[in-house]
Amino acid sequence: MAGASSRVHYLSDFCCPLGGRAAGKPFLLRHEAEVFLSTGREFVYVYDQEGGLLTAVYQFPDQVWHLQLLAIRRALYVLCARTGIYCLSLDSLDRSGSQACEDKEEAAPPYPVIHVDPDACVLPDAALCAFTVLDDMLVTLAQGPTQWKMQLFERPCAGEEPLPRGQVGEVELSTCTPPGGVPEKPAAPRFLPVLCCVFPPDSRAPHGHPQGCGCFTLEEALFGLLFGVDATLLQSPVILCGLPDGQLCCVVLKALVTSGLAPGDPKVLVKILHHLEEPVIFIGALRAEPHEEEAAGELLPGQHEHSDCLVALGHQGRTLAIKASWSESGNLVPELREYCLPGPVLCAACDRDGHMYHSTPSDLCVVDLTRRESPWNPEKPDGAIGGLPSVLCPASLNICSALALCVTARAPTGSTELLALSSKGRLITCSLDLNSEAPVPAKMAMANAGQKIKELLLDIGDVSERVSFLKKAVDQRNKAITSLNEAMNVSCALLSHPEGDRPIACTITTSWSRLELRDMLMATCTLENSSSFSLDQGWTLCIQVLTSSSALDLDGTGSAFTYTIPVDRLGPGSRREVTLPLGPSESGVLDLPVTMSCWLFYSLREVVGAALAPSDPLEAPYLEQLPLSLPKQEGVCLPLCKRTVDMLQCLRFAGAATHPAQAPRMPGPACEPVETFLKTCQAPGSEPTGAASLRAKYLPPSTASIRVSAGLLRAALEDSHSGFHLCSATLRWLLAENAAVDVVRAQTLSSIQGIAPDGTDVNLTVHEVAVTDLSPAGPIQAVEIQVESSSLANMCRAHHAIIRRIQTMVTEQAALGSSPPDLRMQYLQQIHANHQELLREVQALRDQLCTEDELSSCSTAQKLLHIYKQLRNPSLVLL
């Protein structure tokens, strides 16, 4: 095809349903000056093209799926969804009120709207999906529960009773999937089957059928090859059926008539010609090779009616063309070729000059199936000169979203005229000059050609470079999407297991180690991946260490340190350990307790930002058109674990060292060389000097105690420490999280002496006591846990650690429903009143310290210490 030029003329506006072909079934046909069209709704419009008038509008009970005009009878047959087939007599229409108008349903229409009477339904059947009408026969296709059913009826006329009389035959086709919806009103199928009638060349031609109505005549050679000897001898029309599953099958009409009222055998009556593997949208015929008279210029275009090529078009553009051709041995054989055209296809039409038009949402294209470059060879029988073209090249007509097409007769100027209904409801005509030659540019000089080639090569290089940069950007984004998908899976896996065994877990253990000539408390965080996902780019393990405020600084706040460790390629089944120093500091102080929190952080900016931002400055011009919107959120935080390290976990024991060099030492700042020399020269047996030694020698040790019911401890320690004495089991339970607990496990102990991080001693003593005056039933057996240390701060830290463990134990036992014994409430009230009095004295003494001088404050501080000792040794028992 040398070129294709078109001129478009607007005719009128009609309302189309939103969604195009999927929402409705638009249809368009033309006979003489009258245009009959349906937009997929319940209206059928009659438009006079010569006068430019909308002459009538028929309104049906439901969507209109198909139209067919029997012009010789002046009868219009309409398939209404879920209702049946209606027959309208066009001669009975009173057109006195016809006038030009626009289809605006919101306003009162100025044209006559004819509500179709239910009596006009000549074949009521809610399962009908397609039909075709002949001079005296009506062929229908209905959707059954499992199969398609083709039925043949005597052609009903307008005004006849809607009775199922006159059925001549029926046959079942392939299986089908029934539409959904409620039984009263099933959902409309997305694709309707296509029916058309093919006539042999010597039979009575389909007079009275306008072009494009689904009836055409094939040449004898192609008709016999496709449908067999029986159809040729019987001179029988053949019904072609294109199904939504892609099957293209045929049924000989006279063979279906002989089946009578009994259903015919599908194996005998139905022949499957091809399978497109996608819904069949269109079946048509065209002339791929000219007649001898037309080749010689003696036959006017459009005078002949016999087609030599059958075409079928699928929804996604797969096209089948069938034509009779001569084989190498000289035999006449059917030639089948499949082509792939742009899709999805909305509608299609054929003319008689070898052109097929098909519409997509973006364009209306025309393809040429003729071999115009091949010479005419009159020596071949029937004028056959060759096969089908190997490739179809669609030519654009620059018209988009045509929902229905109709090819009219050739215009007097020799051009082809198309009638189309657009997706916006506009009825347009398109005059095509398919033989117009495109202008050919003049020959250029050799020097100009060389310069042009250089410019083209430079342009090709620029395009290639841009393609490579864009490909790199696409690869980065694909990696980012993959990483985001992994992050989503990891997040769902962790959030779906808030407690218990988690697919990705972190455990924290503590131990003492020698680091830079000082004893350091080290925390080891072990990240273990037991899931099926990998932690790659963007993941970071965050560890926060929150220390308590110093016991000597009442107004101070604890310090917080956050360590970030990138997690690189932690695959399934892998683990990673991170060791952090907790203290003591250079001054020898370790503020306990220390709270450690671990979580995983996924950086959205690192992953997504790296994918959106060009890594090479040269890429920036090529990526300016891409949306580079960085995420507002920094990332995703997933908590893993939280642990508190207290005094009981940090105690060291002399028996835990296996070598004298590893014995616990007094940590502290690095001494001056002179001070180290003097300590080395000190005589053996002399007493050490220093604040800690003086405090331990001259001040009494600080003590605190807490009493716990023996029954409560036995119930809590029954499983883990059974077989041990209660005092020994309690001590083992208190030191269970200490790394040197093996010293306690090696022997049955009820008291132990440990060394605090600053080198002072901390004594733990556990013994059984009997508490009287608390219960009217008699003494209550209890276990008293006593803490003693020369350092008041270390004693308080150890006391706090013991209380924290007992609070957890009491909470767990209370959840099990344990009940305390009867108590003397008056005795409890008296103890409570005494404690309240002591607390008031503490507040008064602390206020007094703020106003006294240094000498008076020493006496006040001693009184405070005495009251604190009474508060730390209550007479109450935890039950």
Side-chain angles (χ1 to χ4, degrees), residues 10-271:
Y10 162 78
L11 297 180
S12 184
D13 264 352
F14 302 90
C15 290
C16 274
L18 296 177
R21 188 177 184 88
K25 315 297 174 187
F27 201 83
L28 178 66
L29 58 91
R30 182 180 183 269
H31 178 65
E32 296 178 351
E34 288 183 317
V35 177
F36 302 87
L37 64 93
S38 167
T39 62
R41 304 174 70 177
E42 66 271 19
F43 296 97
V44 172
Y45 303 88
V46 183
Y47 181 79
D48 186 359
Q49 187 173 356
E50 290 183 355
L53 301 176
L54 183 64
T55 57
V57 178
Y58 294 94
Q59 183 174 4
F60 289 85
D62 209 328
Q63 279 184 310
V64 174
W65 281 355
H66 187 62
L67 302 177
Q68 191 162 341
L69 176 66
L70 194 60
I72 195 171
R73 308 290 184 184
R74 294 292 296 169
L76 180 66
Y77 290 84
V78 180
L79 174 59
C80 187
R82 294 173 286 269
T83 306
I85 298 177
Y86 290 76
C87 181
L88 304 178
S89 176
L90 301 181
D91 294 331
S92 62
L93 174 63
D94 183 7
R95 303 179 181 178
S96 60
S98 302
Q99 53 184 308
C101 64
E102 294 182 355
D103 189 283
K104 302 293 182 182
E105 293 188 11
E106 291 77 12
Y111 48 80
V113 176
I114 303 173
H115 295 273
V116 178
D117 193 88
D119 295 338
C121 184
V122 295
L123 187 60
D125 189 352
L128 291 182
C129 293
F131 78 94
T132 184
V133 63
L134 309 180
D135 288 344
D136 54 356
M137 291 292 177
L138 175 65
V139 183
T140 64
L141 190 64
Q143 187 174 25
T146 57
Q147 288 184 316
W148 295 98
K149 181 186 293 185
M150 181 182 292
Q151 294 177 307
L152 180 63
F153 297 90
E154 296 179 1
R155 183 182 62 82
C157 299
E160 292 184 356
E161 294 292 331
L163 298 176
R165 65 170 182 83
Q167 179 174 344
V168 179
E170 69 176 43
V171 65
E172 291 183 346
L173 304 183
S174 65
T175 58
C176 65
T177 303
V182 296
E184 293 78 9
K185 189 175 182 180
R190 186 163 182 254
F191 297 100
L192 292 176
V194 180
L195 280 185
C196 62
C197 186
V198 182
F199 290 87
D202 296 334
S203 67
R204 187 159 52 103
H207 299 294
H209 293 275
Q211 185 175 359
C213 67
C215 295
F216 45 84
T217 303
L218 290 182
E219 283 195 343
E220 183 177 358
L222 180 59
F223 188 90
L225 290 174
L226 284 180
F227 310 124
V229 180
D230 293 341
T232 305
L233 294 177
L234 291 174
Q235 290 295 299
S236 169
V238 177
I239 303 299
L240 277 179
C241 180
L243 298 178
D245 62 354
Q247 290 191 53
L248 181 64
C249 55
C250 65
V251 177
V252 179
L253 193 62
K254 290 186 178 180
L256 185 62
V257 170
T258 59
S259 66
L261 295 179
D265 185 4
K267 296 181 180 179
V268 178
L269 299 179
V270 181
K271 179 181 179 182

Side-chain angles (χ1 to χ4, degrees), residues 52 67 171 236 306 345 377 402 496 523 530 718 756 772 820:
L67 302 177
V171 65
S236 169
H306 298 176
V345 178
N377 188 357
S496 60
S530 302
E718 180 180 4
T772 59

Side-chain angles (χ1 to χ4, degrees), residues 437-697:
E437 295 290 337
V440 179
K443 294 183 179 180
M444 62 178 65
M446 184 66 67
N448 295 336
Q451 182 64 28
K452 187 67 175 178
I453 291 175
K454 290 181 180 179
E455 293 176 357
L456 291 176
L457 291 177
L458 289 176
D459 293 340
I460 292 173
D462 292 340
V463 171
S464 176
E465 186 178 6
R466 179 176 181 181
V467 168
S468 63
F469 285 145
L470 292 178
K471 185 177 182 299
K472 183 178 179 181
V474 170
D475 292 340
Q476 288 180 345
R477 296 191 178 190
N478 288 337
K479 291 180 181 179
I481 292 174
T482 304
S483 179
L484 288 173
N485 183 49
E486 286 282 330
M488 179 67 69
N489 293 330
V490 171
S491 301
C492 293
L494 287 178
L495 296 178
S496 60
H497 298 81
E499 297 179 357
D501 296 335
R502 309 182 76 180
I504 300 177
C506 185
T507 56
I508 301 174
T509 57
T510 56
S511 62
W512 285 92
S513 179
R514 192 72 175 167
L515 184 65
E516 296 180 355
L517 302 178
R518 293 191 297 127
D519 289 338
M520 296 292 293
L521 180 64
M522 310 297 291
T524 302
C525 302
T526 304
L527 179 64
E528 185 172 2
N529 183 10
S530 302
S531 67
S532 58
F533 311 110
S534 298
L535 302 181
D536 294 321
Q537 179 190 6
W539 288 103
T540 303
L541 176 63
C542 300
I543 305 173
Q544 185 186 60
V545 179
L546 179 62
T547 62
S548 304
S549 59
S550 175
L552 302 178
D553 187 6
L554 298 179
D555 298 329
T557 57
S559 58
F561 302 93
T562 301
Y563 303 88
T564 57
I565 301 95
V567 179
D568 187 17
R569 296 182 182 179
L570 186 65
S574 304
R575 63 169 58 191
R576 185 153 303 164
E577 291 187 356
V578 179
T579 302
L580 304 174
L582 297 182
S585 61
E586 293 183 357
S587 60
V589 178
L590 177 59
D591 295 325
L592 296 173
V594 175
T595 302
M596 298 185 64
S597 302
C598 299
W599 66 86
L600 281 175
F601 180 76
Y602 182 77
S603 176
L604 292 174
R605 287 189 174 271
E606 178 182 350
V607 177
V608 181
L612 295 181
S615 58
D616 193 328
L618 297 177
E619 298 179 37
Y622 301 128
L623 300 178
E624 289 178 353
Q625 312 251 341
L626 301 178
L628 301 177
S629 56
L630 294 176
K632 297 180 180 179
Q633 188 176 356
E634 291 287 342
V636 179
C637 187
L638 301 173
L640 294 177
C641 66
K642 184 177 182 180
R643 181 174 177 181
T644 301
V645 180
D646 53 28
M647 178 61 73
L648 294 183
Q649 301 174 31
C650 300
L651 290 178
R652 292 174 291 171
F653 307 100
T658 58
H659 192 273
Q662 299 176 353
R665 309 180 184 190
M666 171 70 181
C671 299
E672 294 291 335
V674 177
E675 183 179 353
T676 304
F677 174 74
L678 293 176
K679 287 184 178 180
T680 305
C681 297
Q682 188 175 3
S686 60
E687 296 182 0
T689 60
S693 301
L694 294 176
R695 182 167 55 246
K697 181 176 181 181

Side-chain angles (χ1 to χ4, degrees), residues 260-453:
L261 295 179
D265 185 4
K267 296 181 180 179
V268 178
L269 299 179
V270 181
K271 179 181 179 182
I272 298 178
L273 300 178
H274 196 72
H275 204 303
L276 284 179
E277 298 181 359
E278 59 185 61
V280 179
I281 296 298
F282 171 75
I283 301 175
L286 48 83
R287 185 76 193 177
E289 295 178 3
H291 282 279
E292 182 178 359
E293 294 82 357
E294 186 178 352
E298 300 175 0
L299 184 66
L300 292 177
Q303 183 177 341
H304 65 273
E305 295 181 352
H306 298 176
S307 302
D308 64 352
C309 182
L310 180 70
V311 292
L313 189 58
H315 176 61
Q316 296 300 331
R318 181 173 292 184
T319 304
L320 171 70
I322 308 176
K323 181 181 177 296
S325 180
W326 293 96
S327 65
E328 296 180 357
S329 59
N331 297 322
L332 199 61
V333 294
E335 179 184 3
L336 282 79
R337 278 189 181 270
E338 276 198 3
Y339 306 96
C340 189
L341 298 179
V345 178
L346 301 179
C347 60
C350 290
D351 64 13
R352 291 169 181 167
D353 296 328
H355 300 121
M356 183 177 68
Y357 310 87
H358 71 282
S359 173
T360 67
S362 60
D363 205 354
L364 176 62
C365 301
V366 56
V367 293
D368 190 357
L369 277 85
T370 62
R371 286 250 180 145
R372 300 185 183 274
E373 70 276 8
S374 301
W376 171 255
N377 188 357
E379 297 179 358
K380 290 289 184 71
D382 299 329
I385 60 174
L388 293 166
S390 57
V391 178
L392 295 183
C393 299
S396 173
L397 299 180
N398 299 321
I399 301 173
C400 63
S401 299
L403 300 182
L405 288 175
C406 179
V407 180
T408 62
R410 275 199 172 194
T413 59
S415 62
T416 303
E417 186 176 85
L418 279 181
L419 199 61
L421 179 67
S422 70
S423 60
K424 295 183 178 180
R426 293 177 178 176
L427 182 63
I428 58 176
T429 61
C430 181
S431 298
L432 307 177
D433 187 5
L434 301 177
N435 296 319
S436 61
E437 295 290 337
V440 179
K443 294 183 179 180
M444 62 178 65
M446 184 66 67
N448 295 336
Q451 182 64 28
K452 187 67 175 178
I453 291 175

